[in-house]
Amino acid sequence: MDRKEQIVELIAQGYRNVKALAQHFGVSLMTIYRDVRELEKDGRIVRKHGELLLKEEAGEIPEEGMPTCAYCTKPIEKRLEFTYRLRRGRTVRACCAHCGLLLYKNIKEEDLESCMTWDFINCRPISCFSAWYVVSSSATPCCLPSAIAFSSKDDAEKFARGFGGYVMNFETAVDAVQELMKRGTPVRIKM
Ligand SMILES: [Zn+2]
Ligand SMILES: [Zn+2]
């Protein structure tokens, strides 16, 4: 395999800059720049925000400004962000847990590496899969019916006592949000 083909392969694996590639091959930055320029000209890769990306990955990242939700296209606020990390350095970002939960069924199990969001109370990063969700409460920081993530079940229950809604784990929340979207909102769901 010639070096340019290997470069495409490495970018697919998550190499994002010329320096890392130069180190990998033990050649000068200039050499890699030349390969990268040719690959760009061939339309195989693109450079965006200083990162090297495969042509097909680049569409997921907006040209400028805030990233937008892959489900509803709203700009994403950091504190509600819900992000799936996929193999080969790809990500699928949602504006909030509502959209994130709805996107889950579109993601192939074998591509999925992890998923993170932020605890609504302490703003710490948490794994989406172990988080607790308050679904369909009267608090609506983003999309409707709202889904809000907490790292602790106790916090989620306290929140639901104040704002209503149902406390659910990831799997249940995925199904509930989908069901609620089908039926329109607000609706009461059986638990
Ligand atoms: Zn959204
Ligand atoms: Zn949202």
Side-chain angles (χ1 to χ4, degrees):
M1 196 162 38
D2 81 350
R3 195 173 53 229
K4 278 197 287 174
E5 287 308 314
Q6 288 182 51
I7 288 173
V8 172
E9 196 55 38
L10 288 168
I11 292 172
Q13 284 167 22
Y15 280 70
R16 286 288 173 260
N17 61 63
V18 170
K19 202 172 158 200
L21 290 167
Q23 275 165 359
H24 178 87
F25 291 106
V27 297
S28 71
L29 288 176
M30 272 322 293
T31 307
I32 298 294
Y33 271 123
R34 204 161 31 219
D35 291 341
V36 163
R37 257 202 306 273
E38 283 176 31
L39 286 164
E40 267 184 302
K41 233 186 283 161
D42 297 343
R44 308 273 310 271
I45 65 169
V46 292
R47 266 189 283 188
K48 241 180 194 180
H49 309 306
E51 293 198 320
L52 301 171
L53 298 166
L54 296 185
K55 186 82 173 180
E56 52 272 27
E57 293 177 302
E60 294 169 16
I61 298 171
E63 204 58 62
E64 52 193 51
M66 273 205 232
T68 53
C69 177
Y71 190 81
C72 73
T73 74
K74 238 190 241 185
I76 296 172
E77 274 184 68
K78 187 101 186 149
R79 73 194 176 95
L80 297 171
E81 178 187 2
F82 193 103
T83 301
Y84 293 99
R85 294 193 192 292
L86 309 183
R87 286 188 352 174
R88 298 193 279 131
R90 290 170 302 158
T91 54
V92 176
R93 289 191 166 92
C95 58
C96 64
H98 161 98
C99 288
L101 293 166
L102 285 171
L103 282 167
Y104 180 63
K105 299 226 159 128
N106 301 326
I107 289 169
K108 286 197 214 99
E109 187 88 43
E110 66 267 27
D111 277 349
L112 186 58
E113 280 191 339
S114 64
C115 179
M116 66 81 55
T117 187
W118 306 90
D119 182 288
F120 195 68
I121 298 210
N122 61 30
C123 299
R124 293 207 187 100
I126 51 176
S127 160
C128 303
F129 304 123
S130 58
W132 290 92
Y133 298 87
V134 175
V135 175
S136 204
S137 71
S138 62
T140 55
C142 194
C143 302
L144 277 169
S146 77
I148 298 174
F150 300 86
S151 53
S152 118
K153 190 178 188 187
D154 196 45
D155 284 348
E157 278 165 353
K158 279 188 201 141
F159 187 88
R161 277 203 286 280
F163 291 93
Y166 304 89
V167 176
M168 297 173 175
N169 66 12
F170 180 81
E171 278 84 22
T172 320
V174 163
D175 292 338
V177 172
Q178 215 150 33
E179 194 57 27
L180 286 163
M181 287 298 279
K182 261 189 244 151
R183 291 200 247 161
T185 164
V187 294
R188 298 272 124 191
I189 47 172
K190 277 198 218 91
M191 291 289 290

